[in-house]
Amino acid sequence: MAAAMVRSPAAPRASLRAVGLGYIGFALTEPGWFAVAFFGAGDTSPESVVDSPAYLALADALDMMVHIGDLAPAARPGATWSCWSTVHGFAELALRGPLRHLDRAELWPLAEQAVDTVIAGLPSAV
């Protein structure tokens, strides 16, 4: 995810997209590590999630969007969980759900659409 991030204040939505697709890409490429990294210890408390590198990358991208006026500050808390739910849910559907039978070439455009749709739905501060 870090390698894919666009670290430019002029492109916070691109950074957010890179974080989301990086999350999904990691899950698809490393399903075992994905399971261990996010829920291996059985601790699914909010505190365990907010300390994860994936969550911190998401938070950084959303904070930058607020900072440059691309995301309404009041929408920031809800945006975190909307974005996280989308990418994590997609990853789970692709690994263990009804999308598990699709190959990567079929799956990736769906991942991009899911990420792009949730980003498009974030309320702008303008």
Side-chain angles (χ1 to χ4, degrees), residues 20 23-28 31 34 38 84-97 99-100 107 111 114:
Y23 187 96
I24 293 169
F26 175 72
L28 298 178
F34 175 75
F38 297 104
W84 185 279
S85 298
T86 298
V87 297
H88 189 79
F90 188 90
E92 288 293 331
L93 291 170
L95 293 174
R96 289 177 263 296
L99 301 178
R100 72 183 178 279
L107 208 49

Side-chain angles (χ1 to χ4, degrees), residues 66-118:
V66 171
H67 177 73
I68 69 161
D70 192 25
L71 176 64
R76 171 64 179 79
T80 303
W81 295 109
S82 296
C83 292
W84 185 279
S85 298
T86 298
V87 297
H88 189 79
F90 188 90
E92 288 293 331
L93 291 170
L95 293 174
R96 289 177 263 296
L99 301 178
R100 72 183 178 279
H101 302 296
L102 299 179
D103 65 32
R104 182 81 179 243
E106 295 173 291
L107 208 49
W108 199 248
L110 298 175
E112 290 177 320
Q113 183 179 6
V115 170
D116 291 344
T117 299
V118 75

